[in-house]
Amino acid sequence: MDYGKFKYESAVKARESRKNQTQTIVKEIKLRPKIDPHDYGTKKGHVERFLKAGDKVKVTIMFRGREQSRPELGFRLLQKLADDVQELGFVESQAKQDGRNMIMVIGPHKRAPERKPESKLDRPSLAEEQEAARQEAQPRPVPSPRSAAPIAAETVVEAPAPASSDV
């Protein structure tokens, strides 16, 4: 067996397998327990955008001072967020307290695999595509407004000649 051919084929296989892989990206959103409803809506919009793009979202609630004694506020907030984005993603890891922070990870739902490009039989040939492009590029004659109107008989009126004065 030819070693160069073997090396080439293994490189092609590696390239194909890399092409089909997807990188998992984890985006992070940070919240506070006493978040304003409008700010919550904005953060929820960011989470929805990340999930639609196919990224995982790590939601962190930061507790400060006396807020640490009320972790149920953070838990309720995370549950509300999970319910709001339920159609776009699912909870991968439930909310858990980690020191001053409470963390939950939401992952996107699996999407239907994207369709492969059409086969060569379904596509028009290159010559047909070029012919269609050429026909579209040709300028089409635009009828002028005069030629579209019916032609009326023209009447010619001669102006009277200036009178000659014999002064």
Side-chain angles (χ1 to χ4, degrees):
M1 181 173 198
D2 185 12
Y3 181 69
K5 183 178 179 182
F6 168 75
K7 200 169 180 182
Y8 171 75
E9 287 176 355
S10 63
V12 168
K13 284 182 185 177
R15 197 175 320 123
E16 284 293 320
S17 66
R18 274 197 308 273
K19 187 167 67 172
N20 294 331
Q21 289 178 351
T22 57
Q23 200 82 22
T24 303
I25 299 172
V26 179
K27 303 278 188 169
E28 185 173 11
I29 292 288
K30 294 189 176 188
L31 306 169
R32 296 285 311 280
K34 297 179 183 176
I35 190 167
D36 187 63
H38 183 268
D39 295 337
Y40 170 79
T42 302
K43 296 285 187 173
K44 184 181 82 165
H46 293 317
V47 170
E48 289 173 350
R49 186 179 76 222
F50 295 150
L51 290 174
K52 284 179 185 173
D55 300 330
K56 291 183 181 183
V57 181
K58 178 181 175 183
V59 184
T60 304
I61 295 190
M62 303 172 297
F63 295 99
R64 288 201 294 192
R66 287 187 246 173
E67 293 172 348
Q68 293 179 45
S69 64
R70 304 281 307 275
E72 66 273 2
L73 293 175
F75 185 76
R76 271 190 262 150
L77 187 62
L78 288 176
Q79 289 303 318
K80 180 181 174 189
L81 182 65
D83 290 341
D84 289 346
V85 297
Q86 187 174 14
E87 65 275 356
L88 297 173
F90 65 98
V91 177
E92 281 191 2
S93 71
Q94 287 294 329
K96 61 183 177 198
Q97 185 86 24
D98 182 31
R100 290 179 170 227
N101 299 328
M102 187 175 280
I103 299 169
M104 180 175 75
V105 178
I106 302 174
H109 288 302
K110 299 257 189 245
R111 286 188 264 176
E114 295 181 16
R115 288 186 25 205
K116 302 241 178 192
E118 322 173 319
S119 66
K120 291 181 180 178
L121 298 175
D122 297 339
R123 278 195 329 222
S125 69
L126 181 61
E128 291 172 353
E129 288 178 3
Q130 289 175 345
E131 180 63 29
R134 191 176 310 118
Q135 287 178 356
E136 288 178 14
Q138 287 180 348
R140 295 186 179 128
V142 179
S144 68
R146 284 187 146 179
S147 64
I151 301 174
E154 294 182 22
T155 56
V156 178
V157 179
E158 293 183 19
S164 61
S165 58
D166 291 322
V167 180

